[in-house]
Structures are given as structure tokens and as C-alpha cells.
Amino acid sequence: MPARDIIIDTDPGQDDAAAILLALASPEDINVLGITAVAGNVPLPLTQKNARSVCEFAGKVDVRVFAGCDAPMTRALVTAEHVHGKTGLDGPTLPDPKMPLQEKHGVDFIIETLRERPSGTVTLCPLGPLSNIATALTRAPDIAARIQEIVLMGGAYFEVGNITPAAEFNIYVDPEAADVVFKSGIKITVMPLDVTHKVLVTPERIKALRAVQTPVCDAMADMIDFFERFDTDKYGSSGAPLHDPCVTAYLIKPELFTGRHINVEIETRSELTLGMTVADWWGVTDRAPNAMFMGDVDAKGFFDLLTERLARL
Ligand code: RIB
Ligand code: CA
């Protein structure tokens, strides 16, 4: 099976860093055409810098990183420094990147890449708010039919919200963008909190990562140590949920995940439930299925894969 051509759209974020590193460590499975940064966990100047820092730290200085949207489509930006720290990558101190930021806007890169590459051969992997993806689809509706699949981290059903009682952060920050994506007719696979809250970085798993004894695995462990304090305090869980690498792990080993092809719609009007992914898990409506919504994951298989691949860098 040839490696899959993907664009990673991201708001690093320690867990975004894990997703990017897993992709870069897996050239036999994934070919990263480029990385587009979006405002989310922290503002865009930091997310684009963090994306470059992560690539450079992994020795992948040829990866093209683009800056995309610095705000949601219509709303003010909401960030998550309380989770990820002031820099967005608190934990280790990564050197400032020397690799350049690409001149082109991230949305233009997405549109041009989809128009230039053979139709149906490029997968979009959003790990943050969907502002770049929805802006590209709105400016260039022709690209929708050319996208192989969108595999995204976002939303929640049984796990309900993490930024509000009803909404998961990525969807909440730009619900109008999420609405565009989920109504696009594109093949969508969703990694919601329902699976990401099952891949908790327990002390044993952190130990296995540190046992690799490489700068990348040490830095990843330091990032997780920082990032996990928020979730363990809030949920009393045994470790941090590694949200975003569920997306890249799915591209490598889809069999790790199970879910249902169901209808998912986005709340964009109610202030109380804004950004909620209204997932018809039990099929109680006649609304047409539009997304593969994941519900379970083989957590041991996930961490074995993540540790084995990151050890390569
Ligand atoms: O709700 C979790 C998501 O929000 C993850 O993508 C995390 O990086 C933050 O962006
Ligand atoms: Ca993210």
C-alpha cells in the first residue's frame, strides 16, 4: 500500500506535536505534503512557530509549514493556554526554529495542492479548529470533490464537552467552520473525545516512552508531563488524553479504532450548546449519515505504535 498523501492542519499543542511526530516517523504509511497552522490552542504566531519547532526538533527541516487563519470565520478566537501553557508547547524548551515559514497562506496551499494533485489522493488531517479547512472549501468549492477523506480530531458524544459542558474545544472555537465541513459531503472520519479519552498516558506509558532515551521521546514525555496536569486535576484520570495522534494512528492502523457511520450536525445558534456535535449514535432521526464517528480504540495498540514509531526519530 503506497504512503498516503496528507496535509496536517494544526494548532500545536503538545498533543498536536505527538500527531505530527507520529506522521513524520512513518514515511512508509504517510507522506506529509505540508503542514498548515491555524489559531486555536494559542494564537497563530505561536502555532506556526510551534509546528516548525516540532518538525525541526525531529530533524525534518524540509517539511513545508504554512500559516493559515488567525481567527475563526466569524467569531473571536478562544485559546487554551490554561491547558497547553503560554507557548502552547510548555514542558520542554525546544529551540526556536530556523526552518522558514512558507510565504503562501495556508488556505491557498490547501486549495492549490488539491487542484494540482490527482483527485481523490489527498487526505486532510485537521487537529484544531476547522477555520482553514472551511475557508478553503468556501473560497474554492470545487476542491470538495477532490479530497480523499478528512480525518479530524474533534467533537464528542458520550464524553460531552471539555471546553463547555456541551462542546469539545476544536469544534467550539469555530462552530461555523465545523458546520461547513460536516455539510460538505466529503468523506469524514471523526476522532471525538469518546476515543481520545481512552488513550490516557498512564505512568507506565510515560515510563515506556522515557525508556527509549532519545531527545524526541524525552521531549515528548516532558510535553505530556506538562499537558496532563490539567486533565488529571479535572477528571481525576490516570493520565493525559492524547487527542490528536489518534488521527495519524488511524492512517497507519485503522483497525485500532471502531465506530459508527452516523449523522453528525453542529450547533451554531444556541449559546448554551454552541459547538456541540449532535451525533445521532442511536439512529433516532432520519438524518443522513455524514461521518464515521469513532467510539472505541485499542489503547495498548495505540501506545505501542506511538512509542515504536517515535523511537525512530
Ligand atoms: O479538545 C482537544 C483538542 O483541542 C485537541 O486538538 C487539542 O490540541 C486542542 O486543540
Ligand atoms: Ca490540536
Side-chain angles (χ1 to χ4, degrees):
M1 186 94 137
R4 229 164 132 162
D5 289 336
I6 76 168
I7 295 173
I8 298 176
D9 189 69
T10 181
D11 64 335
Q14 292 88 348
D15 60 316
D16 300 69
I20 293 167
L21 292 169
L22 178 54
L24 297 177
S26 309
E28 70 269 45
D29 301 297
I30 296 173
N31 175 34
V32 179
L33 299 175
I35 295 178
T36 51
V38 66
N41 284 321
V42 286
L44 182 66
L46 282 173
T47 57
Q48 59 89 343
K49 176 182 169 221
N50 291 345
R52 289 185 288 137
S53 293
V54 169
C55 291
E56 197 159 285
F57 193 67
K60 307 292 182 185
V61 293
D62 297 336
V63 177
R64 292 180 296 164
V65 176
F66 303 80
C69 297
D70 63 3
M73 295 181 94
T74 59
R75 293 174 185 271
L77 177 64
V78 171
T79 54
E81 287 87 349
H82 61 293
V83 178
H84 299 275
K86 210 165 40 54
T87 71
L89 278 189
D90 283 30
T93 308
L94 299 188
D96 283 350
K98 295 187 185 63
M99 63 188 277
L101 177 71
Q102 300 298 309
E103 288 292 309
K104 191 176 292 183
H105 191 284
V107 170
D108 293 330
F109 171 71
I110 291 169
I111 294 170
E112 290 169 21
T113 303
L114 284 162
R115 284 177 172 163
E116 285 160 8
R117 312 283 297 200
S119 182
T121 65
V122 177
T123 295
L124 303 184
C125 298
L127 311 175
L130 292 164
S131 315
N132 287 343
I133 311 300
T135 302
L137 288 169
T138 306
R139 275 184 29 205
D142 60 291
I143 65 172
R146 304 183 64 81
I147 296 169
Q148 179 179 18
E149 183 176 11
I150 293 178
V151 185
L152 67 92
M153 191 278 140
Y157 180 60
F158 292 102
E159 280 298 297
V160 291
N162 60 0
I163 187 76
T164 74
E168 176 280 325
F169 178 80
N170 289 342
I171 308 298
Y172 177 75
V173 170
D174 201 340
E176 284 75 18
D179 194 40
V180 166
V181 171
F182 279 81
K183 285 181 176 156
S184 66
I186 298 164
K187 182 183 179 186
I188 297 174
T189 298
V190 183
M191 295 291 159
L193 297 180
D194 303 65
V195 291
T196 69
H197 280 188
K198 292 175 182 169
V199 285
L200 301 177
V201 194
T202 60
E204 300 72 34
R205 288 165 177 163
I206 276 277
K207 220 165 122 220
L209 200 54
R210 288 200 184 281
V212 176
Q213 294 191 328
T214 59
V216 166
C217 286
D218 286 345
M220 193 68 248
D222 292 344
M223 284 188 215
I224 292 168
D225 281 346
F226 178 87
F227 167 65
E228 81 168 355
R229 84 217 179 287
F230 174 78
D231 287 90
T232 48
D233 291 354
K234 175 176 171 184
Y235 295 104
S237 50
S238 57
L242 266 193
H243 308 286
D244 293 336
C246 287
V247 169
T248 35
Y250 172 78
L251 298 178
I252 300 166
K253 275 194 161 179
E255 64 274 19
L256 291 173
F257 300 89
T258 55
R260 291 183 184 179
H261 191 235
I262 59 173
N263 178 269
V264 179
E265 304 211 358
I266 310 298
E267 178 57 72
T268 58
R269 290 191 296 270
S270 156
E271 281 309 305
L272 185 62
T273 56
L274 185 71
M276 181 175 184
T277 44
V278 183
D280 189 5
W281 184 263
W282 301 110
V284 296
T285 76
D286 57 0
R287 296 197 286 254
N290 61 339
M292 185 64 192
F293 196 84
M294 293 302 177
D296 210 351
V297 56
D298 167 3
K300 180 183 181 315
F302 170 84
F303 278 99
D304 289 350
L305 174 70
L306 184 69
T307 307
E308 175 246 319
R309 292 292 170 99
L310 263 53
R312 294 175 169 183
L313 296 173

